[in-house]
Amino acid sequence: MHSTIAAMYPRMRTGIFFTPTTEGDGVLLTNGSEVVSFLGASTYAWLDRLSPHLDGSHSVADLTASLPPAPRQMVEKLVGALHEAGLVRDVSQDRAHSLTADELELYATEIAFVEAFHTSPALRFQRYRETRVAVIGSGAVFAAAVEGALLTGVARLSARPTPERGSEDRVRERLVELTVEAGRRDPGQRLETAALDPADPVALRDAVEAADLVLYAADRTDPGALRALDGICADLGRTLIPVTLYRDEAWVGPTCAADRPETRWESLWLRLGERPEAERDRPRFLTGPVPGIVANHLIFRAFEHLTGGADASAPDEDGPGRASGTVRLDLETLQTSAHELAPHPLVRRGDRSTDGRRIRELADGAAVDASELAARVVPLTDDRLGILGPVSEAHLEQFPLRVVRLAVTDPHRPGTPFTVWGAGSDFPRSQDAALRHGLAAHAVRSAAATTLTDGVTGVRLVDGANLTVPAAQVFVPAGDAEAGVLPVGTAGAATWAAAVEQGLLDHVLRGAPAGAARKSADRRTTAQLDLTAGSQRFLELLAASGKALTAYAVDAPAGVHLYAFQLGADPAALVEHGAGFTAAEAVEAGLGRLLLAWQADNAGQPEYAPAPAVNLRTSAADTRADALRHAPFVEALHTAGAVAVAVPLDGDPAVQAVLPYLVRVVLLDA
């Protein structure tokens, strides 16, 4: 440890402040966001004497060479503690750079910003400076972006103004001024300017090919030009960072990098929704300093991408930082908010067609439990650009069952999410029910968008053979009027087998006869029911309603059990059914649905009463599902002339990566 610290060339990070503790028994240090304290009556005095020399030009051995052993150990201990706390760094570990002394002085502020988060800050800045950057666009935002790139040190900059009536002359004059200013301020910079027609695909491709990083900034966003630019950048492996003006908002990003093909501008545009022609004028609040503020956000995003910026997780090697998501800027208030952009399934990323091998992999895949799913969905959760909104229980009755709502994006109708519901005995269970239901509801709508053929591959459950199913029989078409309703047989679960089981049971449940059975021979007493611990709890809670409970066994196909439960007397009785592959599962499912129906009725909140858009999680979800459990039912269906086929809903790669076990079980004529 002594030799390691002695060889260190410590440099205190920019923005570190320190002061003695009020008791005088130590020192407090802060970087503006965190406070660190070191105890010791003489610690502050030592740090005060030492700090001017913590500039990276001296090793600890040099600084302590003339000190006696005890003070030398004190200094080494202090420097070691500062380094461990991230307040100083060892510049001897920095990678070499080739910036000149003039460049280091001129861009000291930019380098210091990088140094606050990373090692090798000069090399990181050099990477930014030497990157070939092209700024494409028009108007005041475009001119401000060119200026921002120059002021932050880009040495090879290409400004490509596109036609825009009313601003072309001003932009041209400003570019001339910036060329002169850059020559005086930084002789190492070269600004090339040339007009660009975005409608000319050859010229657009040439402009992209001559750059490493492409920035798009315009007072009026041209979706056609940006769409073409996005595609060319993807084809050529160039990084695109756009700013998109949408109504009274500016959206900065996403960073469309070559190594992240799933992140494209087209996803942002589809999430926001196409604007009417009348709304494509220059935003009314894009006046005064606002264009410069928008442009500065864009330049900062480019700086972050190439240097790592404030992203402390960015690598220290030659690779760029991982600036992700988008930043929304309200043009009226200038307030900003960060948003995660979920890739849109309509953006093609290769053939996603499923084959038999893929289905076998699903059958053998590891389970995704509730806690893991809750962590996985975070990147897909955003109230503006995500697939899912936040799970909410606001204003909903939470007894006897916990109930949550979840907004789900319809990939065909941006800006018009639909709602699914989850219920369970506690919040984790209700959240899990809603998340699986929401992902399945989205997948059964998005898969159709990426199907490249008229048929999709499923597995015939009776014998495991692959079977091609018409896409129209699996996916919900665009413009579905009942967007929140899952089509029969749609399910999401912790495993493939469990999802298939739920899809099969959904057919049984939705085919159940209306109302409760009336034959006395079908009536069951509580003692005759196979009760789980969950069923017992549901019975106790239903008893508290003060209404009579009646149970009936209902005729069902071989291999499944079906029960009807009635609470109260006609005509106001509540009736719900429960289906399962064991009698205990069917009883618990039916009692749980009846309890949820009573809760919704009693609270005057019919929106979450049992329906296809509502998912109730019972202990059956924890059952170890397998093909043997549902084999008798599948065989019975086949004998009756119906072929059960399980089709994976994996058309949206982002959703499939979070929860692979999304399925629709369809029944085809034999």
Side-chain angles (χ1 to χ4, degrees), residues 33-53:
S33 59
E34 298 177 343
V35 177
V36 178
S37 63
F38 296 139
L39 296 179
S42 61
T43 305
Y44 173 76
W46 273 109
L47 184 58
D48 190 44
R49 292 173 57 191
L50 189 62
S51 60
H53 306 286

Side-chain angles (χ1 to χ4, degrees), residues 338-398:
H339 297 263
E340 285 293 331
L341 173 63
H344 198 284
L346 287 175
V347 179
R348 295 281 175 86
R349 295 185 297 278
D351 189 351
R352 290 291 303 171
S353 58
T354 303
D355 57 19
R357 183 177 60 182
R358 164 72 181 141
I359 297 176
R360 288 192 294 274
E361 290 173 354
L362 288 172
D364 296 333
V368 180
D369 62 21
S371 59
E372 184 176 357
L373 180 61
R376 286 187 178 190
V377 298
V378 171
L380 304 185
T381 304
D382 188 272
D383 57 355
R384 288 293 300 272
L385 304 180
I387 289 172
L388 306 176
V391 172
S392 172
E393 55 185 358
H395 310 302
L396 301 175
E397 179 62 47
Q398 297 298 313

Side-chain angles (χ1 to χ4, degrees), residues 262 271 343-355 358 362 387 411-412 439-453 455-457 471 474-475 496 647-664:
E262 72 281 359
R271 294 280 178 213
H344 198 284
L346 287 175
V347 179
R348 295 281 175 86
R349 295 185 297 278
D351 189 351
R352 290 291 303 171
S353 58
T354 303
D355 57 19
R358 164 72 181 141
L362 288 172
I387 289 172
H412 299 288
L439 291 171
H442 183 275
V444 79
R445 285 159 176 80
S446 60
T450 54
T451 301
L452 305 184
T453 60
V456 291
T457 301
V474 178
F475 306 124
W496 170 255
V647 182
L649 302 176
D650 61 353
D652 187 334
V655 171
Q656 189 272 332
V658 168
L659 183 60
Y661 312 119
L662 300 167
V663 68
R664 184 171 184 194

Side-chain angles (χ1 to χ4, degrees), residues 5 281 359 387 400 423 616 636:
I5 295 177
D281 291 335
I359 297 176
I387 289 172
L616 171 66

Side-chain angles (χ1 to χ4, degrees), residues 347-546:
V347 179
R348 295 281 175 86
R349 295 185 297 278
D351 189 351
R352 290 291 303 171
S353 58
T354 303
D355 57 19
R357 183 177 60 182
R358 164 72 181 141
I359 297 176
R360 288 192 294 274
E361 290 173 354
L362 288 172
D364 296 333
V368 180
D369 62 21
S371 59
E372 184 176 357
L373 180 61
R376 286 187 178 190
V377 298
V378 171
L380 304 185
T381 304
D382 188 272
D383 57 355
R384 288 293 300 272
L385 304 180
I387 289 172
L388 306 176
V391 172
S392 172
E393 55 185 358
H395 310 302
L396 301 175
E397 179 62 47
Q398 297 298 313
F399 184 81
L401 294 173
R402 298 291 292 271
V403 180
V404 299
R405 64 162 62 90
L406 177 66
V408 183
T409 300
D410 187 330
H412 299 288
R413 303 189 302 177
T416 56
F418 58 88
T419 302
V420 299
W421 308 83
S425 59
D426 54 29
F427 178 78
R429 286 181 170 83
S430 61
Q431 173 183 251
D432 185 63
L435 290 176
R436 297 186 194 277
H437 219 47
L439 291 171
H442 183 275
V444 79
R445 285 159 176 80
S446 60
T450 54
T451 301
L452 305 184
T453 60
D454 292 332
V456 291
T457 301
V459 59
R460 190 165 55 196
L461 297 178
V462 72
D463 58 7
N466 294 337
L467 192 68
T468 300
V469 181
Q473 292 186 248
V474 178
F475 306 124
V476 174
D480 170 33
E482 294 184 310
V485 178
L486 271 73
V488 62
T490 306
T495 65
W496 170 255
V500 170
E501 282 193 358
Q502 290 181 23
L504 287 167
L505 290 175
D506 193 40
H507 281 278
V508 177
L509 198 59
R510 297 207 205 182
R518 295 300 179 189
K519 293 184 296 183
S520 59
D522 295 329
R523 188 165 177 170
R524 298 290 186 270
T525 65
T526 303
Q528 292 174 306
L529 297 176
D530 191 352
L531 300 177
T532 64
S535 300
Q536 292 279 12
R537 176 63 175 158
F538 291 154
L539 278 175
E540 293 170 2
L541 293 168
L542 285 167
S545 70

